[in-house]
Amino acid sequence: MMYRHIVFDIDGTLVDNEKAILYSLQEVLLQTIGKEFSFEQLTFCLGIPGEDTLERLGVGDIPRVMNLWIEALRRCENMVTIHKGIEELLRKLSDRGYKLGLASSRSRELLEKDFDNLKISNYFEIRICADDTLEHKPTGAPLLKYMESARVDRSEVLYIGDSVHDSMCAGDAGVDFALAVWGSHTEATPAKYYLRTPSDLLPILEDDGQKE
């Protein structure tokens, strides 16, 4: 086996934006339904599409509220940072010939308004967003769509994410999974590899290459 495509989740994996997501959601829920939620009550939203979050919360007029949430997120841009070591990892992977991709629960609109402003965005050739599949994480649909778009076999793909939703997505698609421990802060999520820092991926790929 030899991985040729390294596919990343975004939120919590490439960028640290947990506070921005939760704070902006708190703000919008108070504004639209007049109810206060704690961070603990809203953490379920991390790793799933925003529309699914609002539906679970019983919010009406989801498109309007989703737009308000996106606007609130943009006001929280100062809270968002690229995880330490990610930019260096992406540069090294690109230099070594790996194809880099995204499989995210974000809408394409949010990807273009937020993620594309970051200097790491140009590393990713194929980007699968929530708009691209009828089903979302934790099903394998995003990764199956990625493999269809890239025309690659599942054995060539390694998926990196920070949540149990990412792990389940990889498992359902038959793709190997590496847990970004730096974003999940736990090693309880099932994974083939556990990466405490982004640089932990490199020796794994070197060993994998020697097996070919």
Side-chain angles (χ1 to χ4, degrees), residues 162-174:
D162 67 299
S163 75
V164 66
H165 301 290
D166 298 322
S167 174
M168 294 171 68
C169 175
D172 191 46

Side-chain angles (χ1 to χ4, degrees), residues 104-139:
S104 172
S105 294
R106 289 188 183 209
S107 66
R108 190 159 299 277
E109 179 184 11
L110 185 55
L111 182 82
E112 293 173 351
K113 286 186 175 181
D114 183 0
F115 184 76
D116 280 355
N117 291 327
L118 301 177
K119 54 187 175 181
I120 61 173
S121 65
N122 290 334
Y123 282 104
F124 303 98
E125 297 182 24
I126 298 176
R127 304 157 172 226
I128 305 302
C129 300
D131 317 61
D132 298 317
T133 58
L134 294 177
E135 294 184 319
H136 308 113
K137 301 176 189 177
T139 77

Side-chain angles (χ1 to χ4, degrees), residues 3 24 27 29 36-37 55 77 85 93 97 107 120 122 134 139 142 148 151-152 156 163 166 172 189 202 208:
Y3 304 121
S24 59
E27 176 186 316
L29 291 173
E36 293 186 7
F37 290 85
E55 183 177 358
E77 285 181 349
L93 292 176
S107 66
I120 61 173
N122 290 334
L134 294 177
T139 77
E148 176 188 336
R151 298 181 180 179
V152 293
E156 299 175 82
S163 75
D166 298 322
D172 191 46
T189 299
L202 297 174
D208 180 66

Side-chain angles (χ1 to χ4, degrees), residues 141-204:
L143 286 174
L144 292 173
K145 182 65 176 179
Y146 179 92
M147 290 185 283
E148 176 188 336
S149 300
R151 298 181 180 179
V152 293
D153 185 82
R154 63 195 64 196
S155 65
E156 299 175 82
V157 177
L158 177 65
Y159 187 45
I160 301 176
D162 67 299
S163 75
V164 66
H165 301 290
D166 298 322
S167 174
M168 294 171 68
C169 175
D172 191 46
V175 168
D176 285 347
F177 178 66
L179 180 68
V181 177
W182 65 83
S184 66
H185 310 296
T186 179
E187 295 186 33
T189 299
K192 182 168 184 176
Y193 309 108
Y194 293 88
L195 311 176
R196 291 173 179 79
T197 68
S199 63
D200 287 347
L201 177 62
L202 297 174
I204 291 172

Side-chain angles (χ1 to χ4, degrees), residues 51-69:
E51 290 81 0
D52 291 356
T53 292
L54 298 179
E55 183 177 358
R56 291 190 193 185
L57 289 166
V59 173
D61 196 357
I62 288 177
R64 181 182 72 87
V65 178
M66 192 67 218
N67 285 333
L68 291 173
W69 189 5

Side-chain angles (χ1 to χ4, degrees), residues 8 14 85-95 100 120 123-124:
F8 291 84
L14 295 174
I86 284 293
E87 187 174 3
E88 180 181 4
L89 173 64
L90 297 177
R91 178 178 55 78
K92 289 182 177 179
L93 292 176
S94 180
D95 288 346
L100 306 181
I120 61 173
Y123 282 104
F124 303 98

